[in-house]
Amino acid sequence: MNLLTFVCVALAGILPVEVSTTSGETYQGSLSAIATDGLVLDQDGAKQTISLEELTGLSVVDAPPRTGPKSQITFVGGSRIFARDIRIAGETAEIELPRQPLLRVPVQSIRAIRFAGPAAETDAAWLGILEKETRGDTMVIRRPGNRLDPTIGIVEGIAGDKVNFNLDGDSVAAPIDRLEGIIFGATSSSKSSKPVTITDVYGSTWLVDEVVAEPSSPSLEIRFDNAIHRLPLELLSSIRWSSGLMMLASVEPAETSLKPSLAVNIDPALVESLLGPQSVGLEDLILRGGCSTEYRIEDGFRTFSGSVRRDERVKSASEVSVRILLDGELVWKESLPDAQARGFELDINNARRVTLQVDSGNDGDMGTTIRFNRPRLLK
């Protein structure tokens, strides 16, 4: 664990928190200090120190969520931050955050900017485009009927309400209010986990390498993605010391079933071995029509992410839909009428099992080979 801190004496009695530990115990009190030897709680005048190695989480008691800006910036390291405004000139991005200092970061540390903000009507399409790696930058135009139209080019800068975009050698100033967002090419989300995750009251999530708390300033100094930012403690919602990532393709499913639309006089075990779920490397999964596969969720995981699309080897498409269930309850369903990927990012909400299902409807199983791109559990 890489958490460097100094004593925060001024915090006593100001920040009521609840702390959870690896043993499953929880403690409440006022945050008195975060020091190199542990976290110190003030419990009615009595001091209790909890070793950093024992910590799994810290939540501010009754921290009210606040309505923040809709634009969301996704960083290469995995952080997702809601911003009021962003300006890009040259290799530097300047980001205005609610009630926080101006944040300056290298443009190369940014994966994407979603101006329109999360919305149920476009989330699946946006996340599907985001999962796809491209060499050029992508400008995603919002069309009537919640249709997203990705266009490849080069982002030259952002100023005011325009994105300057080079399209086949011609520069255009695209109005931000007509865009879903932009995605930077030659970048992808980091596959390594971070030691600390911080959430603020506006819903921003910072995946950080190092945190410093100083007695002279009621704030946390966050170091992430080659940038440094100061988060006022009054905006802190939670800190998680348990972080990690698990790719479903790298683990064995707890249970799998296969029900082809056409009955065949073949041993079911053989059919399952031939047509059941297949791992592609350690990241992707292949499922076919009629397949259902279930995975156990270990303690601490909070999010299930990835995308789905028709496998590129399929030449003729038929009716197909993909379903995701948590503890047997349907939480995500998308039809795949074309080659466009659909993405998902689901709260686990303490579920113990995640199930992936491919339904070929009434068209039979031909053309229903589906690739799950990097389905992963995140802490």
Side-chain angles (χ1 to χ4, degrees):
M1 183 177 303
N2 188 14
L3 179 65
L4 303 179
T5 55
F6 299 93
V7 176
C8 306
V9 177
L11 298 182
I14 297 178
L15 199 65
V17 298
E18 181 176 273
V19 175
S20 57
T21 65
T22 54
S23 64
E25 296 179 290
T26 60
Y27 303 92
Q28 288 192 345
S30 297
L31 181 60
S32 176
I34 310 176
T36 53
D37 59 343
L39 180 147
V40 182
L41 290 181
D42 186 324
Q43 298 173 314
D44 296 327
K47 303 291 186 182
Q48 180 175 7
T49 301
I50 304 171
S51 170
L52 296 181
E53 285 72 21
E54 297 178 28
L55 291 174
T56 59
L58 177 152
S59 298
V60 178
V61 176
D62 296 329
R66 303 184 185 183
T67 301
K70 64 180 181 179
S71 294
Q72 187 182 64
I73 301 172
T74 299
F75 287 80
V76 172
S79 297
R80 294 193 175 184
I81 298 169
F82 287 97
R84 283 180 173 169
D85 190 27
I86 180 168
R87 299 178 293 275
I88 291 180
E91 301 299 320
T92 302
E94 293 186 341
I95 303 170
E96 291 187 9
L97 304 169
R99 302 181 62 197
Q100 298 166 62
L102 184 69
L103 174 62
R104 292 183 175 87
V105 300
V107 174
Q108 65 183 9
S109 68
I110 297 176
R111 169 63 175 151
I113 304 169
R114 191 178 183 185
F115 301 114
E121 298 81 7
T122 52
D123 280 350
W126 167 261
L127 292 171
I129 298 170
L130 183 62
E131 288 281 326
K132 184 178 181 181
E133 296 184 16
T134 61
R135 292 186 177 181
D137 300 334
T138 302
M139 179 172 65
V140 184
I141 304 169
R142 195 167 57 250
R143 303 292 189 188
N146 294 317
R147 184 171 63 89
L148 302 187
D149 183 9
T151 302
I152 306 299
I154 300 173
V155 175
E156 296 179 323
I158 301 177
D161 59 352
K162 299 287 195 303
V163 172
N164 298 317
F165 196 75
N166 190 302
L167 184 61
D168 296 328
D170 296 325
S171 292
V172 298
I176 286 177
D177 62 5
R178 296 181 61 183
L179 301 179
E180 185 72 17
I182 57 174
I183 302 169
F184 291 93
T187 64
S188 60
S189 297
S190 173
K191 299 175 184 177
S192 61
S193 61
K194 299 289 185 177
V196 180
T197 300
I198 293 177
T199 303
D200 69 22
V201 295
Y202 294 107
S204 295
T205 300
W206 311 74
L207 276 64
V208 303
D209 300 297
E210 188 175 87
V211 181
V212 176
E214 299 182 4
S216 60
S217 174
S219 64
L220 296 177
E221 184 177 274
I222 299 171
R223 300 177 183 179
F224 74 108
D225 286 84
N226 299 315
I228 298 177
H229 178 63
R230 287 191 178 276
L231 177 69
L233 280 165
E234 65 183 78
L235 303 182
L236 177 65
S237 177
S238 68
I239 304 176
R240 295 200 306 272
W241 280 269
S242 56
S243 61
L245 174 151
M246 186 176 78
M247 309 297 295
L248 291 194
S250 66
V251 299
E252 289 293 327
E255 185 177 341
T256 294
S257 64
L258 182 65
K259 297 179 180 179
S261 58
L262 297 177
V264 290
N265 189 23
I266 303 176
D267 182 0
L270 178 59
V271 174
E272 184 174 314
S273 65
L274 294 174
L275 302 179
Q278 297 177 351
S279 297
V280 181
L282 296 177
E283 295 194 350
D284 293 357
L285 284 173
I286 295 290
L287 271 69
R288 296 171 176 82
C291 185
S292 175
T293 184
E294 185 174 271
Y295 295 85
R296 295 183 181 88
I297 302 175
E298 298 178 1
D299 289 339
F301 287 102
R302 295 170 178 261
T303 306
F304 181 48
S305 297
S307 65
V308 296
R309 60 177 171 82
R310 292 180 180 273
D311 190 73
E312 62 271 10
R313 294 169 294 181
V314 174
K315 301 303 181 184
S316 59
S318 62
E319 179 184 347
V320 62
S321 63
V322 176
R323 294 192 293 262
I324 299 175
L325 298 85
L326 291 173
D327 284 349
E329 180 179 349
L330 180 66
V331 294
W332 190 88
K333 179 180 179 180
E334 283 287 328
S335 296
L336 302 180
D338 49 39
Q340 183 69 45
R342 305 293 194 275
F344 53 87
E345 188 172 87
L346 306 171
D347 291 333
I348 291 173
N349 293 324
N350 299 315
R352 308 304 299 173
R353 301 252 179 157
V354 57
T355 304
L356 314 179
Q357 296 179 346
V358 175
D359 183 5
S360 52
N362 299 319
D363 289 351
D365 300 329
M366 184 65 67
T368 58
T369 301
I370 301 301
R371 180 182 287 257
F372 283 76
N373 299 301
R374 302 190 69 235
R376 56 201 182 272
L377 294 165
L378 303 166
K379 288 188 177 180

